[in-house]
Amino acid sequence: MDEPKGRASWRRGTRQRESVVDALGSARGFRTAQQLHGQLERSGRKVGLATVYRTLNELAEAGEVDVLRAASGEALFRRCATDDHHHHLVCKECGVSVEVGDRAVEAWVGRTARRHGFTDVTHALELIGLCRDCTG
Amino acid sequence: MDEPKGRASWRRGTRQRESVVDALGSARGFRTAQQLHGQLERSGRKVGLATVYRTLNELAEAGEVDVLRAASGEALFRRCATDDHHHHLVCKECGVSVEVGDRAVEAWVGRTARRHGFTDVTHALELIGLCRDCTG
DNA sequence: GTTAGTGCAAATGATTTGCAAACAG
DNA sequence: CTGTTTGCAAATCATTTGCACTAAC
């Protein structure tokens, strides 16, 4: 069976689910489950790590968040982009991130996909480096 | 000290390193370390799993193989076809992948990083979609 | 011989799961 | 109440590492 429409998967509204969604929502870019867990803990809203993972996975399955894989293999989550597709320039030192985006990149992706006969192509682009403050 | 030129990292030629390189070379697409390990075992050349990992990581560091992350988080390795920095257009259905690359994207990355005051920026770009054969 | 490289088994670290207690509706 | 959801701790899984041992040069 499955939901007739829309928001799908929420069965019960709980404090912890709301907290996780909240934490993700207030994050500028991608966050690991552990980061979110820490963030919640710091802000006083206790949520078990397992619950963070469970919630994140449900959200991902429901298509409400994007999941990406860091080079190290950890899962990175972010609340689903609105309409505007953009990417992130993340500082590997302090974690600050800037949204960047350019019509040109999107166009290149589309062109490349087409040239190779691929369809339904999505892309993930992450720029990782050192921000001004963390440089030397 | 370091190598005067070229192939870099190889210090000693060993049977097991050769086997791993070999196994990877004969693979059409991406392989996990575990798959390669199994493949070697089946073909009778015993190589410890740890050694497979160690070798693969050295190769990756030397830029002689590409590393990709499966959605599940496992590392996927493949012998690099070119030395140039490039990206992959991967079919989510059959896993076939095409190397793509474009000076323009690299340039855009550099420009964007600079504009935001970031340095030492690396980037990861993956295009995922359906190849011609898997379409419809 | 020396030293780098190997294999195993134990250590990691992220993520998952089992299960009894806590909670929403 | 009654079925969900939680939290903890134990269990997984891929990958890494410590260390005694073997092989390359």
Side-chain angles (χ1 to χ4, degrees):
Chain A
M1 319 293 136
D2 57 344
E3 324 304 316
K5 64 168 293 189
R7 318 258 89 224
S9 41
W10 287 141
R11 310 195 175 180
R12 278 185 190 179
T14 67
R15 174 183 61 74
Q16 23 279 84
R17 293 232 246 248
E18 195 176 317
S19 297
V20 173
V21 172
D22 225 53
L24 231 204
S26 72
R28 300 209 229 11
F30 288 88
R31 287 282 182 286
T32 65
Q34 316 255 357
Q35 289 176 322
L36 290 169
H37 178 245
Q39 186 177 321
L40 286 169
E41 196 157 67
R42 259 175 272 118
S43 68
R45 278 162 305 176
K46 296 190 58 101
V47 180
L49 182 55
T51 298
V52 173
Y53 275 109
R54 278 190 280 240
T55 304
L56 250 18
N57 285 336
E58 283 171 23
L59 285 167
E61 218 159 301
E64 291 179 41
V65 305
D66 287 337
V67 192
L68 208 56
R69 243 41 227 205
S72 62
E74 305 136 277
L76 298 172
F77 303 84
R78 83 167 168 186
R79 96 174 168 298
C80 237
T82 42
D83 300 310
D84 208 22
H85 190 98
H86 56 257
H87 303 285
H88 297 269
L89 176 54
V90 186
C91 176
K92 65 179 138 188
E93 198 59 33
C94 66
V96 70
S97 92
V98 183
E99 291 187 356
V100 295
D102 187 322
R103 200 62 42 77
V105 175
E106 316 300 318
W108 177 79
V109 170
R111 214 178 321 119
T112 301
R114 214 170 309 117
R115 180 182 316 137
H116 290 282
F118 276 61
T119 51
D120 192 25
V121 173
T122 62
H123 61 290
L125 171 60
E126 288 285 296
L127 312 189
I128 300 173
L130 285 175
C131 73
R132 200 167 348 237
D133 294 344
C134 294
T135 306
Chain B
M1 313 303 133
D2 56 342
E3 325 303 318
K5 63 168 293 189
R7 317 260 90 223
S9 42
W10 287 142
R11 311 195 175 182
R12 278 186 192 179
T14 68
R15 175 181 61 74
Q16 21 280 87
R17 294 232 246 249
E18 196 177 315
S19 296
V20 173
V21 173
D22 224 54
L24 231 204
S26 71
R28 299 211 228 16
F30 288 88
R31 287 282 182 288
T32 66
Q34 319 256 355
Q35 290 176 321
L36 289 170
H37 177 245
Q39 186 177 322
L40 286 170
E41 196 157 68
R42 260 175 272 117
S43 69
R45 277 164 305 177
K46 297 191 59 102
V47 180
L49 181 56
T51 298
V52 173
Y53 275 109
R54 278 190 279 238
T55 303
L56 251 16
N57 285 336
E58 283 172 24
L59 286 168
E61 219 159 301
E64 291 179 42
V65 305
D66 286 336
V67 191
L68 209 56
R69 286 283 169 180
S72 62
E74 301 126 293
L76 298 172
F77 301 84
R78 178 180 86 152
R79 114 170 161 294
C80 242
T82 69
D83 292 332
D84 271 347
H85 183 92
H86 56 259
H87 303 287
H88 295 101
L89 176 53
V90 186
C91 176
K92 64 178 140 190
E93 198 59 32
C94 67
V96 71
S97 93
V98 183
E99 294 188 352
V100 296
D102 187 280
R103 200 61 44 76
V105 176
E106 315 298 318
W108 177 80
V109 169
R111 213 177 320 120
T112 302
R114 214 169 308 118
R115 180 183 314 139
H116 291 281
F118 276 62
T119 51
D120 192 24
V121 173
T122 62
H123 61 293
L125 171 58
E126 271 178 57
L127 313 188
I128 300 173
L130 284 175
C131 72
R132 199 166 352 234
D133 295 343
C134 295
T135 306

